[in-house]
Amino acid sequence: TGVDFAAVESSFPAFTAELLRRVDLLAIDGFLKRASPFAHLSAPELRTLAAQLTPVRVPAGEVVFREGDAGDRFYLVVTGSVELSRGGSRLQVMEAGDCFGEVALLTAEKRTATVRALVDTGLLCLEKHEFEQVVGGHDALRSQFREFVRIRVGERVAGSIVAVDPLSPLMP
C-alpha cells in the first residue's frame, strides 16, 4: 500500500518538518562537497558547516551588500548569478559554486565591492564568527582564502589578513 504523505504531514507536522530539514542539510552537504572552497573538509566538519549555513533568496536586481558596508557574512552562490562592482564598474560575475564576502571578514576592512543579483539567486550565508571558526581551524583553507583576497584586491590587502583565532569568540 502507498503512504499518504499528506496524512502523515497533517498527523505528524514536527516529523515532517524535521525530515524536510534533514533533506535540505543533505542537499547543502552535497553542494559543499562538489562546489565550494570547503570541499576538502572532513564529513563531520561538512555536516557541522551545512547546519550553520543559512539559505537566502535574492530577487533579480536586489543588492546583497554595498561597497563600504561592514562585513558580517560570507556567501556561497548556489543558483543564479551576482555581479560584483566597485565604483560603479563591473569587476566580476559570480555563478553557482563561487563565493564572496571573505575580504571584509578576513581583513577587518569595509566591503570592497557592491554585490547585486543579476537574476533570482540562491545563496548560502555564513555568519562572521562561524566563518572565522571554520577558516581559523584549517591552514589550507586559510591559505586558499588568502589567495582569493590577493586575486580580488591585491597583495597589500592580502598581507593584512587578520589572524583568525578560533578560540577568540569563546573567550571573554
Side-chain angles (χ1 to χ4, degrees), residues 90-171:
R90 179 182 277 188
L91 298 172
Q92 187 174 6
V93 172
M94 297 193 153
E95 298 175 327
D98 291 327
C99 61
F100 60 92
E102 74 284 346
V103 173
L105 300 182
L106 292 171
T107 64
E109 295 194 12
K110 301 286 185 189
R111 297 286 190 190
T112 60
T114 295
V115 178
R116 181 179 58 86
L118 294 173
V119 297
D120 290 349
T121 299
L123 302 173
L124 292 171
C125 72
L126 187 62
E127 297 296 322
K128 179 180 180 172
H129 69 279
E130 293 164 334
F131 176 81
E132 289 172 343
Q133 285 179 330
V134 172
V135 173
H138 297 88
D139 291 339
L141 196 53
R142 192 169 37 254
S143 295
Q144 183 176 4
F145 279 110
R146 180 175 283 117
E147 183 64 11
F148 285 174
V149 171
R150 188 190 66 71
I151 290 167
R152 292 182 182 160
V153 293
E155 192 65 47
R156 181 192 60 76
V157 176
S160 71
I161 288 180
V162 176
V164 179
D165 177 3
L167 297 178
S168 63
L170 305 174
M171 304 303 269

Side-chain angles (χ1 to χ4, degrees), residues 63-72 104 109-114:
V63 171
V64 178
F65 58 75
R66 296 188 187 285
E67 185 176 352
D69 287 352
D72 57 353
E109 295 194 12
K110 301 286 185 189
R111 297 286 190 190
T112 60
T114 295

Side-chain angles (χ1 to χ4, degrees), residues 24 28 50 53-57 122-125:
D24 288 344
I28 291 170
L53 289 162
T54 304
V56 177
R57 304 299 285 153
L123 302 173
L124 292 171
C125 72

Side-chain angles (χ1 to χ4, degrees), residues 1-37:
T1 65
V3 175
D4 182 356
F5 286 105
V8 171
E9 183 176 13
S10 65
S11 298
F12 304 99
F15 172 77
T16 304
E18 179 62 18
L19 183 62
L20 291 173
R21 187 185 75 75
R22 288 184 184 257
V23 167
D24 288 344
L25 285 175
L26 285 172
I28 291 170
D29 185 73
F31 172 80
L32 292 172
K33 288 176 185 171
R34 284 189 318 277
S36 84

